[in-house]
């Protein structure tokens, strides 16, 4: 692995990350309402850390599901191809669904997942939350319902996001120049 943690520049520190996650949870609580139940779909591996922090602050009854996709390999640019590694989900018909992503870049991954969920599972509602939104890189026609921060075309790591599998454990978001 050719990147050193000393070369990482801070983008959003731990306090900012915590504060924004809390704000997003409040928005989601408000949007879905407190009485309805929610199926949260965590997209592995990147959204694992954000998702776990987020759901601890949700007030409705939550069921947590995991799916696993890979779109990047180890490159720093999106391949545009989505590799489905595990898309096993329970019946979601008439359920409220929240798909949790770490970052939306081209949007290819999310477009693929949302089409699949809508067309094969027919949920009552399906919303998207992503911690980071790289709007500038969007090629697929998809936007999140909630997002934490907008980022420009930087390669970012931390809080679940990786470079060659590393740096997911950092409690902040940083980037390499
Ligand atoms: P998309 O399909 O191009 O929107 O890419 C989405 C996936 O690529 C995300 O779920 C991330 O796993 C990964 N990704 C995109 N940008 C970055 C980045 O800056 N750092 C780390 N991973 C990224
Ligand atoms: Mg990734």
């Amino acid at each position: 692995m050719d990147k050193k943690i000393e070369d990482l520049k801070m983008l959003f520190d731990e306090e900012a990350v915590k504060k924004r996650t809390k704000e997003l949870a409040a928005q989601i609580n408000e949007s879905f309402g407190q009485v309805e139940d929610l199926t949260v779909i965590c997209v592995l591996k990147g959204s694992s850390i954000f998702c776990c922090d987020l759901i601890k602050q949700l007030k409705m009854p939550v069921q947590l599901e995991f799916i696993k996709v890979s779109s990047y390999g180890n490159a720093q640019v999106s391949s545009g191809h989505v590799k489905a590694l595990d898309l096993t989900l329970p019946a979601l018909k008439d359920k409220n669904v929240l798909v949790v992503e770490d970052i939306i870049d081209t949007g290819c991954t999310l477009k693929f997942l949302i089409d699949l969920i809508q067309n094969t599972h027919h949920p009552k509602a399906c919303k998207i939350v992503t911690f980071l939104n790289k709007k500038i890189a969007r090629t697929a026609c998809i936007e999140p319902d909630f997002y934490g921060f907008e980022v420009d075309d930087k390669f970012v790591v931390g809080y679940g996001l990786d470079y060659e599998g590393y740096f997911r454990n950092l409690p902040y978001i940083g980037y390499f120049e």
Side-chain angles (χ1 to χ4, degrees), residues 120-140:
T120 58
H121 293 277
H122 308 288
K124 179 168 153 195
C126 181
K127 293 191 179 177
I128 300 163
V129 59
T130 183
F131 192 64
L132 300 178
N133 192 2
K134 232 187 237 183
K135 284 188 185 170
I136 199 161
R138 198 76 85 256
T139 57

Side-chain angles (χ1 to χ4, degrees), residues 71-72 78 101-109 134 154-156 161-162:
S71 67
Y72 261 47
S78 188
E101 261 288 22
D102 51 353
I103 187 166
I104 309 180
D105 184 20
T106 63
C108 292
T109 307
K134 232 187 237 183
K154 288 188 169 76
F155 191 80
V156 292
L161 292 144
D162 73 300

